[in-house]
Amino acid sequence: MCRTLAAFPTTCLERAKEFKTRLGIFLHKSELGSDTGSLGKFDWGSKHSKESKSFSEDVLGWKESFDLLLSSKNGVAAFHTFLKTEFSEENLEFWLACEEFKKIRSAAKLSSRAQRIFDEFIRSEAPKEVNIDHETRELTRTNLQAATATCFDVAQGKTRTLMEKDSYPRFLKSSAYQDLASQASAATTFTSSCSPAEPSHT
């Protein structure tokens, strides 16, 4: 039951649904995969206001640092959606590919995956060519001759720096994120004033 009903005319459940809808619009057609950006794992029912509040805090945390954004699956999906509007999603996709690449333990798989990443993101005229200098491109090409988990580190680091200094500030200033952050702030305040398990007293 909501104790501040006059200030918040909607119920806790309706407010949570509204926030979920707003997030769904923001992440519309994200193509990072079923795990990233998936809303399925979040239960926005009235019995789960704690999860709702936690997720709201996650959204608000994206503006605290680029690291917090990249450590959040929904943050990555939201940022990816924004980058697509700027036609620069290849930078984030390369960074994510490198993160997955580092988890590979098989030497044979490392070599084949490294070549695939190079062909997709690094080589000149690659279908998703990232914006790195010639020296870094050639260094990465050399690293592929004996592929290790760190062979993309320099290129990945430069791409990350580019996103943090260029795209990330614009993402935070975008109307889409500003609107979502406003909803998250309201949801955090709202859920703190709700106590779903509180019994009614007569």
Side-chain angles (χ1 to χ4, degrees), residues 6-81:
F8 298 94
T10 56
T11 66
C12 299
L13 177 58
E14 287 169 346
R15 187 75 177 198
K17 285 182 177 179
E18 177 187 348
F19 186 39
K20 176 182 176 182
T21 299
R22 191 64 59 106
L23 179 66
I25 293 172
F26 189 74
L27 300 181
H28 185 55
K29 294 184 179 178
S30 176
E31 296 172 356
L32 288 182
S34 57
D35 290 332
T36 306
S38 172
L39 297 175
K41 57 184 175 294
F42 295 103
D43 189 335
W44 295 79
S46 59
K47 293 182 180 179
H48 296 273
S49 62
K50 183 178 180 181
E51 284 85 348
S52 175
K53 181 177 180 180
S54 175
F55 185 69
S56 300
E57 291 170 345
D58 180 37
V59 170
L60 294 174
W62 301 346
K63 63 183 176 182
E64 297 302 320
S65 76
F66 193 47
D67 284 332
L68 284 177
L69 175 69
L70 292 179
S71 66
S72 164
K73 286 186 177 183
N74 287 279
V76 168
F79 188 46
H80 180 254
T81 300

Side-chain angles (χ1 to χ4, degrees), residues 42-192:
F42 295 103
D43 189 335
W44 295 79
S46 59
K47 293 182 180 179
H48 296 273
S49 62
K50 183 178 180 181
E51 284 85 348
S52 175
K53 181 177 180 180
S54 175
F55 185 69
S56 300
E57 291 170 345
D58 180 37
V59 170
L60 294 174
W62 301 346
K63 63 183 176 182
E64 297 302 320
S65 76
F66 193 47
D67 284 332
L68 284 177
L69 175 69
L70 292 179
S71 66
S72 164
K73 286 186 177 183
N74 287 279
V76 168
F79 188 46
H80 180 254
T81 300
F82 169 76
L83 291 176
K84 287 174 70 175
T85 69
E86 296 195 332
F87 304 100
S88 60
E89 67 270 20
E90 70 280 351
N91 294 318
L92 179 60
E93 290 176 6
F94 170 63
W95 186 87
L96 290 169
C98 290
E99 289 297 290
E100 288 301 312
F101 175 76
K102 292 174 185 177
K103 299 175 184 178
I104 299 174
R105 295 293 173 259
S106 165
K109 286 185 178 180
L110 267 177
S111 181
S112 62
R113 184 71 60 84
Q115 189 61 53
R116 215 167 9 177
I117 292 174
F118 184 86
D119 289 341
E120 184 174 7
F121 297 103
I122 302 295
R123 68 173 173 80
S124 297
E125 306 301 324
K128 295 182 179 180
E129 184 179 354
V130 293
N131 185 15
I132 56 175
D133 57 88
H134 176 73
E135 182 179 348
T136 301
R137 179 175 288 108
E138 291 309 307
L139 172 63
T140 306
R141 188 193 304 276
T142 300
N143 289 343
L144 258 64
Q145 294 175 9
T148 66
T150 62
C151 67
F152 291 108
D153 279 5
V154 175
Q156 184 188 20
K158 292 197 173 186
T159 302
R160 184 195 183 285
T161 298
L162 180 63
M163 289 191 293
E164 184 174 16
K165 291 184 176 180
D166 186 42
S167 304
Y168 174 57
R170 289 201 302 275
F171 166 73
L172 296 181
K173 293 176 183 178
S174 69
S175 59
Y177 176 70
Q178 290 289 323
D179 189 40
L180 187 61
S182 177
Q183 291 287 319
S185 180
T188 299
T189 301
F190 188 74
T191 53
S192 67

